[in-house]
Amino acid sequence: MVCLDCNEKKIAFFYPSYQLGGAELLYCRVADYLTKLNGWSAFIIDYEGGFLAKYACKNNIEIIVYNDGEKVSAKDIDVLIAPPSFIYRVCRSVELKSECKIIFWSIHPHNIESLLPFFIKIESHPRWYKKLIYKMFSGGEYFKIKSNLKFINDLKAICYMDRPNISENERLFDLKLDGSFVPVPVPVPVPVPVDVNVLGGVVCKKELLCDSYGITIMWLGRVEGFKINSIILIYKEILAAAKAGNKISFVVVGDGGDLDLLKEKVVTTPMVKVEYMGEVVGDELEYLLISQCDILIAMGTSALEGAKLGVK
């Protein structure tokens, strides 16, 4: 159990994960910010050795260790933040006091939908088709999730990153939602655009081999799911642009379950040099974006990494 000064408000972020993603990084940054505010203590609930736990260790954020199949005790927590897809997991896996406030923060339009059967197989299909499949073949799970979404909406226990997060769920579940907006924050340590010299000598440990190979276009983000088709489409557009005689570097920054599949389809050609950098975070990522990237392509929270630095 967590024990701290009873005058402090204690807020915990619950998103156990071993992978680096936009949601994981977002929760870490907000927790880090809250630890610096008077009257607040922030906690991370994560696996031992999980991505959030590692971040917490480096930034002096308290960790509550979580294990699958076990109920973690967090009875001193005043506010718990979790994604809507964890609506069942919160009840099943976290022991909270009765006065604890639970807030579900939706930062992806399909986060709630991901709870439904067949989601992975049909996520790229039109909404009308998915709705039909869910209603007919989910065994009532569609209507159960719809009821729970309405319930937390009426309690004002859910907030959204932006309008698409609300509208997508309104259309999928035939609901009128009135959740509030909580935009995604990003740290901006210096004015933009940023000169590489302000980073105080920080360099990226992973050498970019195609540094001098024409213009450099970077993809930043997870390499899995529906994003694979987007990356492949970008690659095809780059190949078309290279036919005009322009040498182009295409650098994929990120990891994911479909990385091997992508490596089979997105390969180096005489005019397009392809590199896979894997995961790059923190100051190393900032250095890479500022010093090497001419054009950045990303989705969601990953796009903000470049925007805060003035990268186009």
Side-chain angles (χ1 to χ4, degrees):
M1 182 184 297
V2 180
C3 297
L4 287 177
D5 184 343
C6 61
N7 293 321
E8 289 185 319
K9 288 288 185 181
K10 306 171 185 67
I11 183 169
F13 295 84
F14 181 48
Y15 193 28
S17 174
Y18 287 107
Q19 71 177 30
L20 167 62
E24 290 88 346
L25 194 56
L26 169 65
Y27 281 13
C28 287
R29 284 173 168 169
V30 176
D32 188 25
Y33 176 78
L34 288 173
T35 59
K36 297 175 175 62
L37 294 181
N38 292 329
W40 284 93
S41 295
F43 300 82
I44 293 292
I45 303 177
D46 193 15
Y47 302 113
E48 187 174 4
F51 174 79
L52 285 80
K54 290 178 180 177
Y55 183 100
C57 286
K58 293 178 181 178
N59 293 275
N60 298 316
I61 302 170
E62 294 283 344
I63 303 168
I64 302 175
V65 177
Y66 169 82
N67 294 300
D68 287 329
E70 299 178 7
K71 198 157 191 174
V72 64
S73 178
K75 289 185 177 180
D76 283 350
I77 298 300
D78 297 300
V79 181
L80 182 74
I81 309 292
S85 58
F86 274 39
I87 187 170
Y88 301 136
R89 203 167 176 181
V90 166
C91 300
R92 184 175 62 245
S93 305
V94 186
E95 190 175 4
L96 300 166
K97 61 185 178 182
S98 59
E99 313 93 84
C100 180
K101 308 294 184 183
I102 302 175
I103 300 175
F104 296 100
W105 190 4
S106 176
I107 60 171
H108 193 289
H110 301 295
N111 181 262
I112 302 171
E113 184 187 349
S114 67
L115 289 169
L116 287 162
F118 318 116
F119 167 71
I120 295 177
K121 293 183 178 180
I122 66 173
E123 64 174 313
S124 60
H125 286 68
R127 189 185 303 109
W128 68 265
Y129 176 84
K130 293 192 294 182
K131 189 186 298 188
L132 179 65
I133 295 297
Y134 293 146
K135 285 183 176 181
M136 294 182 64
F137 302 109
S138 70
E141 194 64 24
Y142 170 87
F143 298 99
K144 180 181 177 182
I145 293 175
K146 176 179 178 177
S147 176
N148 286 324
L149 177 57
K150 184 179 185 304
F151 177 69
I152 60 176
N153 176 78
D154 293 344
L155 288 176
K156 299 189 183 304
I158 184 168
C159 55
Y160 302 87
M161 180 184 79
D162 54 19
R163 170 55 62 181
N165 271 264
I166 293 182
S167 59
E168 181 63 30
N169 288 293
E170 285 182 326
R171 293 166 183 164
L172 182 65
F173 293 103
D174 298 318
L175 289 171
K176 177 60 179 175
L177 303 173
D178 53 13
S180 59
F181 291 108
V182 178
V184 173
V186 291
V188 183
V190 289
V192 295
V194 181
D195 187 281
V196 69
N197 295 321
V198 305
L199 294 178
V202 172
V203 296
C204 182
K205 296 176 183 176
K206 298 183 179 181
E207 183 181 1
L208 190 60
L209 300 178
C210 59
D211 180 26
S212 60
Y213 201 85
I215 189 171
T216 299
I217 300 173
M218 287 189 184
W219 162 267
L220 175 62
R222 296 294 298 170
V223 185
E224 60 190 6
F226 70 92
K227 294 180 181 179
I228 286 294
N229 291 332
S230 298
I231 301 173
I232 293 173
L233 178 60
I234 293 164
Y235 173 67
K236 290 179 179 178
E237 294 292 335
I238 291 173
L239 291 178
K243 289 181 179 179
N246 304 305
K247 286 191 174 183
I248 301 174
S249 301
F250 183 40
V251 182
V252 178
V253 183
D255 204 347
D258 292 323
L259 182 59
D260 289 340
L261 174 63
L262 187 69
K263 286 182 176 180
E264 293 177 4
K265 297 180 178 294
V266 178
V267 298
T268 293
T269 72
M271 295 300 293
V272 177
K273 178 68 177 294
V274 177
E275 283 194 56
Y276 293 90
M277 298 284 289
E279 291 183 351
V280 183
V281 297
D283 290 341
E284 289 187 25
L285 176 60
E286 291 190 1
Y287 177 86
L288 184 66
L289 293 176
I290 296 168
S291 63
Q292 308 287 354
C293 182
D294 296 307
I295 300 174
L296 177 66
I297 302 174
M299 295 182 183
T301 54
S302 295
L304 297 176
E305 297 297 321
K308 73 175 184 178
L309 300 171
V311 179
K312 297 180 180 179

